[in-house]
Amino acid sequence: MQQIHDTINDWYLENARDLPWRRPGVSGWEVMVSEFMLQQTPVVRVLPVWEEWMRRWPRPQDLAAEPLSEALKAWGRLGYPRRAQRLHAAAVEITTEYNGEVPRTEAQLLALPGIGDYTAAAIACFAFAERTVVVDTNIRRVHARLFGGMALPEPSPRASEFARAREVQPEDDRTANLWNVSVMELGALVCTARSPKCGQCPVFEQCAWVAGGQPAPHYTPKGQAWKGTDRQVRGAIMAILREHEEAVPQQSFLADLAQESDAGYVALARLQSPLDQRERALAGLLKDGLAIAEDNGIRLPS
DNA sequence: AAAGCGTGGAG
DNA sequence: TCTCCAAGCTT
């Protein structure tokens, strides 16, 4: 096992991407913002937004001093805007409860809004060199193949996966710390979900999945519905709200909505449909876009 | 605990 | 074109 540790860690030192939140001396806040943005979002799309956020809000208290709507607008088109809402709330909590210092223990991080098992372990490990067991989608996939001989991990994380992740960790703290990010990077660059680059894999010889003849996945992932959903409605509404610095009169707001193809039609139909459906659309808006809507003076049909 | 939550690029 | 997927979290 130590052979595998050294091989993957060495591979990382040679092949890791030069990402700004991995630079030496980055703050806990810089790591934390990157982790929020990277939840379900590719690195290339996060990079420019992260740079802008760090320029504008270099400390938690800087973001906490802003209205939520600014965070939502600056979130841009990263998707899942409630992450911006939770990051803002976390910044407020760090400012009031931790004197502006991002907490360094997993338990403290886990208690903040928007931070779950993965993000807590990641921030503690990457920013503060705490010994944690990081389990993300990349690591789950590498473990499933390398140790489990399976094409893909189970659709949702199992307790057994966390147990295995703990068991395969290096004993030495420093090596374990590097192992976390190394396995993750291997999953991101080589051991990818679709068409893995096994020819470039440093542990090709040790891989249980390869040894088993690379069997196909034992399940077919189900895609998420999009057309006609509340999410599509919110997406269309948020897209318009983001682009306005000033108040958007209801009439021009609805006109903008009508001009949006597809999503706009769905949103408009919802907003003008019978009460129960309209309430669903409004409820969705209220969850993510209430502050931005209020700031813009949006008054939806009632 | 399964479902809901945005967005855009790759294959 | 259409499906899958990307450093998950919350209820």
Side-chain angles (χ1 to χ4, degrees), chain A residues 53-105:
Chain A
W53 274 57
M54 293 300 93
R55 185 194 65 72
R56 193 169 168 188
W57 301 307
R59 305 169 306 166
Q61 49 269 52
D62 300 321
L63 176 62
E66 297 269 9
L68 171 59
S69 56
E70 286 306 309
L72 285 166
K73 281 193 265 195
W75 196 252
R77 307 185 65 80
L78 283 184
Y80 289 151
R82 61 184 52 182
R83 289 182 294 165
Q85 188 176 10
R86 289 167 183 159
L87 180 51
H88 181 270
V92 170
E93 196 167 327
I94 290 170
T95 300
T96 59
E97 303 299 320
Y98 294 99
N99 194 29
E101 300 290 335
V102 175
R104 62 182 297 136
T105 72

Side-chain angles (χ1 to χ4, degrees), chain A residues 7-296:
Chain A
T7 302
I8 293 182
N9 281 352
D10 288 347
W11 172 88
Y12 175 82
L13 295 174
E14 284 297 315
N15 299 280
R17 292 166 292 181
D18 178 26
L19 302 174
W21 45 85
R22 285 179 179 166
R23 291 187 312 242
V26 293
S27 67
W29 174 242
E30 289 174 304
V31 172
M32 178 172 160
V33 172
S34 79
E35 290 301 338
F36 269 75
M37 292 181 172
L38 287 163
Q39 291 168 2
Q40 301 285 281
T41 306
V43 166
V44 289
R45 225 179 313 164
V46 165
L47 280 168
V49 183
W50 182 88
E51 296 283 2
E52 172 62 13
W53 274 57
M54 293 300 93
R55 185 194 65 72
R56 193 169 168 188
W57 301 307
R59 305 169 306 166
Q61 49 269 52
D62 300 321
L63 176 62
E66 297 269 9
L68 171 59
S69 56
E70 286 306 309
L72 285 166
K73 281 193 265 195
W75 196 252
R77 307 185 65 80
L78 283 184
Y80 289 151
R82 61 184 52 182
R83 289 182 294 165
Q85 188 176 10
R86 289 167 183 159
L87 180 51
H88 181 270
V92 170
E93 196 167 327
I94 290 170
T95 300
T96 59
E97 303 299 320
Y98 294 99
N99 194 29
E101 300 290 335
V102 175
R104 62 182 297 136
T105 72
E106 264 188 288
Q108 289 173 316
L109 289 163
L110 200 50
L112 292 172
I115 295 187
D117 290 334
Y118 161 74
T119 305
I123 295 171
C125 175
F126 302 154
F128 303 116
E130 295 279 312
R131 169 141 195 156
T132 65
V133 181
V134 177
V135 179
D136 81 318
T137 187
N138 291 304
I139 292 174
R140 294 182 61 227
R141 187 174 55 250
V142 172
H143 286 176
R145 288 175 180 161
L146 180 59
F147 302 124
M150 304 196 306
L152 294 173
E154 299 298 326
S156 58
R158 308 296 180 87
S160 59
E161 293 182 61
F162 290 92
R164 179 171 62 189
R166 186 174 297 279
E167 287 170 10
V168 301
Q169 271 207 329
E171 289 182 21
D172 174 67
D173 285 355
R174 227 170 184 75
T175 310
N177 191 285
L178 182 57
W179 170 254
N180 280 332
V181 68
S182 297
V183 175
M184 194 180 318
E185 190 77 341
L186 185 66
L189 298 184
V190 174
C191 195
T192 52
R194 281 185 293 186
S195 56
K197 304 171 178 66
C198 296
Q200 304 176 208
C201 184
V203 288
F204 178 85
E205 301 290 340
Q206 294 94 326
C207 182
W209 183 50
V210 169
Q214 298 185 326
H218 57 289
Y219 67 93
T220 55
K222 57 176 180 183
Q224 295 176 328
W226 172 247
K227 286 187 180 304
T229 65
D230 289 352
R231 295 164 72 191
Q232 187 186 26
V233 172
R234 269 191 299 279
I237 291 171
M238 291 295 292
I240 292 171
L241 294 180
R242 270 196 304 268
E243 291 169 9
H244 288 85
E245 292 298 327
E246 303 300 324
V248 185
Q250 177 184 317
Q251 202 157 4
S252 74
F253 175 78
L254 294 177
D256 284 354
L257 212 46
Q259 285 185 350
E260 296 238 347
S261 62
D262 203 21
Y265 283 124
V266 176
L268 203 54
R270 288 288 184 84
L271 294 172
Q272 295 176 337
S273 61
L275 188 60
D276 58 336
Q277 290 186 32
R278 183 164 64 230
E279 286 305 316
R280 293 179 63 202
L282 288 172
L285 175 62
L286 287 172
K287 275 192 172 180
D288 288 332
L290 178 60
I292 197 172
E294 284 180 343
D295 275 13
N296 284 307

